[in-house]
Amino acid sequence: MSSESMLNFTYIVLSIGLLIFIVTCIRFNVLLRKGKYRKGSKKDELRRHFEAKSYIPIASIVGLGLVFVIQYMARSSVINDLNMIIFIVIAITLFFIMLFILPEQLVILYCKYRFKSFNFNKQGYLNKRV
């Protein structure tokens, strides 16, 4: 692989990452404005459902998908080192997952600084609403 093709690959991955971040921010903003994250909403029920369940079936499906992607890349790539291909796929996947989660985490951080009721007191309880 030439350095030019690696640079093009990097630009494409970063562009897709930027697109994922922007779309996720817009989606999260729309959902917040519609009140989808309020207590008792469908999002709240879905979040409670997933917090109570195990992620093993989902992780198995994602892992199997990654294995197929890595096998395809190993067969059609110029890179012969399977460990390097696994590292590249896992790194890019984690990059995209973090960009998908980042907008929600930024809103939570904003709320922790803006509202006292998002923080815990010394006894470990949430502060009262002010």
Side-chain angles (χ1 to χ4, degrees):
M1 298 193 107
S2 68
S3 62
E4 184 178 323
S5 65
M6 290 300 290
L7 264 171
N8 286 337
F9 178 73
T10 304
Y11 290 143
I12 290 170
V13 168
L14 290 176
S15 300
I16 292 172
L18 181 65
L19 183 67
I20 287 174
F21 180 72
I22 290 170
V23 168
T24 306
C25 283
I26 293 170
R27 178 185 156 271
F28 191 68
N29 191 10
V30 168
L31 289 175
L32 274 177
R33 290 187 189 274
K34 288 183 178 180
K36 299 290 184 181
Y37 282 90
R38 289 191 177 142
K39 191 172 187 176
S41 67
K42 287 183 181 180
K43 288 280 185 190
D44 182 46
E45 295 297 325
L46 183 67
R47 185 173 50 249
R48 288 176 195 243
H49 175 71
F50 276 117
E51 286 175 355
K53 279 182 73 175
S54 172
Y55 288 110
I56 292 176
I58 295 171
S60 300
I61 293 170
V62 170
L64 187 63
L66 278 175
V67 166
F68 286 138
V69 168
I70 291 170
Q71 283 181 348
Y72 172 76
M73 286 181 64
R75 289 186 184 127
S76 64
S77 177
V78 195
I79 303 172
N80 291 331
D81 187 14
L82 185 61
N83 290 331
M84 183 60 75
I85 293 174
I86 290 172
F87 176 74
I88 291 170
V89 169
I90 289 175
I92 292 172
T93 304
L94 285 176
F95 173 67
F96 289 150
I97 289 171
M98 287 188 298
L99 284 175
F100 188 75
I101 296 171
L102 183 63
E104 186 174 352
Q105 298 301 315
L106 290 174
V107 169
I108 291 171
L109 182 66
Y110 168 76
C111 290
K112 286 186 74 61
Y113 283 112
R114 176 75 168 85
F115 305 108
K116 188 177 179 184
S117 62
F118 269 77
N119 296 304
F120 290 90
N121 59 20
K122 290 183 181 179
Q123 290 81 24
Y125 298 107
L126 281 175
N127 289 327
K128 301 280 188 218
R129 290 187 180 183
V130 177

